[in-house]
């Protein structure tokens, strides 16, 4: 749960958009991270307070931290893309005592480099979430039934199937 969380950083992908909405509904100040303008616009529609364009380069962790009170970092980072680079970025955005939820599963055999002193001395909590349990599916269906999330909110654009290999 994100109740009482000041800041929450999320990458933008379809499930990331769902996290944006849910975190916002629970009162978090949401910072969404994405590469495309359509993703950033969708995140704003879903309730993101701020967006960070990862496609512009630069120090993304510093930019995300700059959007938090006193530049201390986020309370919770939910990684939903599933790449080693985004897992590592999530850890770099944390405040002391924060929590990283590695929701996006990386490909089998992937490795992630983490600064162990950051984990230990900053007391960062790490969670990995597997999402396919009957209880979570029930909660998801209840959320949709309440109208908190609509499928149309998750559509950021249309592309012909012929372009699929390039996306």
């Amino acid at each position: 749960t994100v109740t009482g969380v000041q800041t929450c950083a999320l990458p933008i992908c379809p499930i990331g958009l769902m996290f944006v909405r849910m975190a916002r509904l629970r009162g978090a100040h949401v910072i969404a991270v994405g590469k495309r303008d359509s993703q950033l616009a969708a995140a704003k529609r879903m309730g993101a307070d701020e967006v960070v364009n990862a496609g512009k380069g630069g120090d993304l962790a510093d930019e995300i931290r700059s959007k938090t009170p006193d530049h201390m970092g986020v309370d919770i980072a939910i990684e939903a893309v599933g790449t080693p680079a985004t897992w590592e970025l999530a850890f770099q955005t944390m405040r002391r005592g924060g929590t990283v939820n590695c929701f996006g599963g990386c490909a089998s055999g992937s490795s992630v480099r983490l600064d162990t002193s950051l984990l230990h001395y900053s007391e960062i909590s790490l969670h990995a979430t597997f999402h396919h349990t009957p209880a979570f599916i029930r909660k998801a269906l209840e959320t949709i039934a309440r109208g908190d999330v609509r499928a149309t909110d998750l559509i950021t654009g249309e592309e012909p199937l012929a372009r699929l290999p390039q996306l």
Side-chain angles (χ1 to χ4, degrees):
T1 182
V2 293
T3 303
V5 171
Q6 291 180 335
T7 55
C8 184
L10 301 151
I12 307 170
C13 59
I15 195 68
L17 290 173
M18 182 76 74
F19 279 121
V20 167
R21 173 62 59 84
M22 299 311 294
R24 189 69 188 113
L25 286 172
R26 283 160 178 76
H29 179 91
V30 177
I31 304 164
V33 182
K35 289 185 177 178
R36 295 189 299 273
D37 290 338
S38 61
Q39 292 174 317
L40 300 173
K44 290 295 268 185
R45 283 193 313 273
M46 295 294 278
D49 296 288
E50 304 191 56
V51 294
V52 172
N53 189 331
K56 291 186 177 180
D59 186 339
L60 288 176
D62 188 53
E63 185 174 353
I64 293 165
R65 282 191 309 272
S66 76
K67 297 178 180 307
T68 66
D70 298 322
H71 299 231
M72 297 296 292
V74 300
D75 296 291
I76 295 177
I78 302 173
E79 191 292 325
V81 176
T83 67
T86 54
W87 277 41
E88 292 170 9
L89 176 63
F91 280 94
Q92 296 165 6
T93 66
M94 299 307 305
R95 67 158 174 81
R96 293 179 65 85
T99 300
V100 175
N101 181 334
C102 295
F103 182 84
C106 295
S108 181
S110 296
S111 295
V112 177
R113 293 181 52 114
L114 300 176
D115 180 345
T116 57
S117 67
L118 178 67
L119 285 170
H120 182 76
Y121 294 108
S122 293
E123 299 183 77
I124 304 297
S125 296
L126 166 62
H127 297 273
T129 306
F130 182 71
H131 48 83
H132 296 292
T133 66
F136 287 131
I137 291 172
R138 189 177 312 101
K139 284 183 180 185
L141 292 173
E142 290 167 358
T143 300
I144 292 167
R146 279 193 311 270
D148 290 342
V149 175
R150 297 182 319 254
T152 55
D153 293 333
L154 305 175
I155 298 171
T156 60
E158 294 182 26
E159 296 287 341
L161 288 176
R163 281 202 16 92
L164 188 60
Q166 290 102 28
L167 297 177

